């Protein structure tokens, strides 16, 4: 692993038994508050998608907002939020899914982007893949195309990649 990636991993803190017993939570807060690490992470996340024709970046609440909007700004693209229920005004579409630690739903605004737009989806951690898969479904249900996914890190042992095997997926850091 390149030195920059090793340094980034050092800034992702393992928090055992959070938010529930048995979950080893990856806290990216130390990385985000380090200006150099944050900038490095965003530019490395941009590299594999720089040649793609992307119209918008969609970020998944909440940490996907931070990395997704930074990446959108880096690539000079607009950003759209995929949010927890009840947060978005206007007409929304809802998708239910199973999370590593519970069940949840996500929403998108029906008119978020013009139909046929190419959308790249961003989140911090790929775990079981349920969140990512539902985000893709939402983007498709509003008539857009999912160009792929970019994650800061993936928990490989949870096999999330299989859930989104039909899409291009890029992960900066991996945990085996
Ligand atoms: P999943 O649907 O299981 O792939 O879960 C991915 C979503 O839950 C992402 O939005 C992550 O931010 C969050 N998440 C799941 N597991 C973890 C974990 N171990 N550490 C930090 N975030 C996690």
């Amino acid at each position: 692993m390149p030195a920059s990636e090793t340094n980034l991993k050092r800034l992702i803190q393992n928090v055992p038994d959070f938010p529930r017993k048995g979950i080893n939570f990856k806290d990216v807060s130390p990385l985000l508050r380090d200006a150099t690490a944050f900038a490095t992470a965003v530019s490395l996340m941009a590299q594999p998608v720089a040649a793609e024709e992307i119209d918008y970046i969609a970020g998944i609440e909440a940490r996907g907002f931070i990395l997704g909007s930074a990446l959108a700004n880096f690539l000079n693209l607009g950003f759209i939020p995929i949010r927890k229920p009840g947060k978005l005004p206007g007409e929304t579409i809802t998708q239910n899914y199973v999370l590593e630690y519970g069940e949840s739903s996500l929403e998108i605004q029906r008119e978020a982007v013009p139909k046929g737009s190419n959308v790249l989806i961003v989140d911090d951690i790929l775990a079981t893949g349920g969140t990512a898969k539902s985000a893709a479904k939402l983007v498709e249900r509003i008539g857009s195309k999912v160009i792929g996914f970019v994650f800061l890190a993936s928990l490989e042992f949870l096999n999330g990649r299989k859930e989104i095997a039909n899409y291009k997926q890029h992960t900066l850091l991996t945990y085996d």
Side-chain angles (χ1 to χ4, degrees), residues 23-27 60-61 63 97-101 123-132 155 158:
I23 302 293
N24 190 17
F25 189 80
K26 302 282 181 204
D27 183 13
I60 305 172
E61 187 169 1
R63 291 174 299 275
Y97 68 102
V98 179
L99 193 70
E100 190 193 356
Y101 39 76
D123 205 356
D124 64 334
I125 307 282
L126 175 67
T128 63
T131 307
L155 310 181
L158 293 174

Side-chain angles (χ1 to χ4, degrees), residues 95-162:
Q95 189 78 38
N96 300 316
Y97 68 102
V98 179
L99 193 70
E100 190 193 356
Y101 39 76
E103 276 178 35
S104 198
S105 308
L106 288 174
E107 290 183 351
I108 197 168
Q109 286 172 313
R110 191 181 283 278
E111 307 294 337
V113 292
K115 290 202 187 331
S117 298
N118 290 336
V119 177
L120 177 79
I121 302 174
V122 176
D123 205 356
D124 64 334
I125 307 282
L126 175 67
T128 63
T131 307
K133 190 178 176 182
S134 351
K137 281 190 185 155
L138 285 173
V139 168
E140 288 168 351
R141 285 175 63 196
I142 61 164
S144 292
K145 184 176 176 208
V146 176
I147 283 295
F149 290 88
V150 176
F151 302 98
L152 175 66
S154 66
L155 310 181
E156 295 291 321
F157 51 92
L158 293 174
N159 291 319
R161 287 175 186 277
K162 279 194 195 149

Side-chain angles (χ1 to χ4, degrees), residues 24-82:
N24 190 17
F25 189 80
K26 302 282 181 204
D27 183 13
V28 299
S29 308
L31 187 155
L32 296 174
R33 70 171 167 253
D34 182 312
T36 308
F38 190 9
T40 303
V42 171
S43 70
L44 290 173
M45 287 170 78
Q47 274 179 15
V49 295
E52 299 279 5
E53 291 203 2
I54 306 164
D55 297 315
Y56 297 93
I57 291 199
I60 305 172
E61 187 169 1
R63 291 174 299 275
F65 286 1
I66 302 166
L67 290 162
S69 55
L71 190 61
N73 198 251
F74 186 88
L75 293 170
N76 200 26
L77 294 167
F79 175 85
I80 55 169
I82 294 179

